[in-house]
Amino acid sequence: MANNKTKIVLDSDVVIHFMKGDCFTILFDIFPEYQYLILDVVYAELTRNPQTKTFIDNISKFMTSKIQIIKFKPNGSMMKEYALLLKTLGKGESACMIYCYKNHDVLGSSNLKDIKEYCESHDITYLTTLDFLYYAYIRKKMTKQECDSFIQQVIAKGSVLPIVDISKYSCSVII
């Protein structure tokens, strides 16, 4: 990949939240200064559903300057670290954390229970779904009402998100 932008590596939960909130394409406009990636192991998790596969394939085909699906190829010490993470975590989040650690990129994941300790101990910047929403709000990509509606819609479709007032949300990540 010839693109020298810092990457935001998306785990499946953030992708699913933005799809459920009908804001998947807005996700890529929140941080236009970054290149978005989905690792092949995350893509495999996401595309078990044929409808989701078609949607992601179409988006990645028409938005190649913003999002790319790439092969996760750990080697050497990264393969060992990946194997250790796989003992307690899923393939997707393990791959995303290893990739971000190795490449000094940003992780997009809301699974704080699984990622927070590792990311903090390895100096990996991470953004949750609410962090993305916060930046969408302050960068005027979404209104407060749209953010509130997004949260309600994602919850109504079976995902877990805290109900927050995005205008009062305290994002700890400065990006």
Side-chain angles (χ1 to χ4, degrees):
M1 178 183 299
N3 191 329
N4 289 329
K5 288 182 175 181
T6 299
K7 307 333 178 248
I8 295 178
V9 182
L10 297 172
D11 196 5
S12 58
D13 55 348
V14 171
V15 172
I16 289 165
H17 291 157
F18 274 83
M19 288 177 70
K20 286 181 176 181
D22 294 326
C23 291
F24 190 61
T25 56
I26 291 172
L27 177 61
F28 311 114
D29 292 331
I30 298 170
F31 296 107
E33 66 273 26
Y34 288 80
Q35 172 70 45
Y36 289 79
L37 297 180
I38 297 177
L39 301 178
D40 60 342
V41 291
V42 173
Y43 176 80
E45 290 174 358
L46 288 167
T47 58
R48 289 184 194 133
N49 176 324
Q51 216 173 358
T52 304
K53 179 181 179 356
T54 301
F55 184 78
I56 291 173
D57 288 349
N58 286 337
I59 295 294
S60 65
K61 185 163 88 176
F62 294 109
M63 298 181 80
T64 56
S65 66
K66 295 183 181 189
I67 176 123
Q68 294 183 338
I69 299 166
I70 65 162
K71 186 160 181 58
F72 175 60
K73 301 180 281 191
N75 54 24
S77 63
M78 289 297 120
M79 190 60 184
K80 183 178 176 182
E81 187 84 5
Y82 182 58
L84 286 171
L85 285 175
L86 284 176
K87 290 180 180 182
T88 56
L89 303 174
K91 287 181 183 180
E93 57 234 351
S94 297
C96 288
M97 287 189 297
I98 294 295
Y99 185 92
C100 289
Y101 177 59
K102 178 181 175 191
N103 295 289
H104 308 286
D105 289 320
V106 176
L107 173 62
S109 176
S110 284
N111 196 350
L112 291 177
K113 179 178 67 77
D114 290 344
I115 65 137
K116 185 176 182 176
E117 184 180 322
Y118 184 87
C119 288
E120 288 177 354
S121 67
H122 289 78
D123 226 13
I124 300 168
T125 300
Y126 60 88
L127 294 162
T128 66
T129 298
L130 288 179
D131 295 331
F132 280 106
L133 272 185
Y134 169 78
Y135 276 100
Y137 172 70
I138 65 166
R139 290 182 167 197
K140 301 187 182 335
K141 306 293 182 184
M142 294 173 73
T143 65
K144 178 186 175 332
Q145 183 179 1
E146 288 169 331
C147 292
D148 292 345
S149 176
F150 173 97
I151 292 168
Q152 293 302 322
Q153 188 170 334
V154 171
I155 291 170
K157 291 183 179 178
S159 287
V160 177
L161 278 182
I163 300 172
V164 299
D165 178 338
I166 205 66
S167 68
K168 293 181 174 82
Y169 179 70
S170 179
C171 180
S172 60
V173 180
I174 298 169
I175 198 161

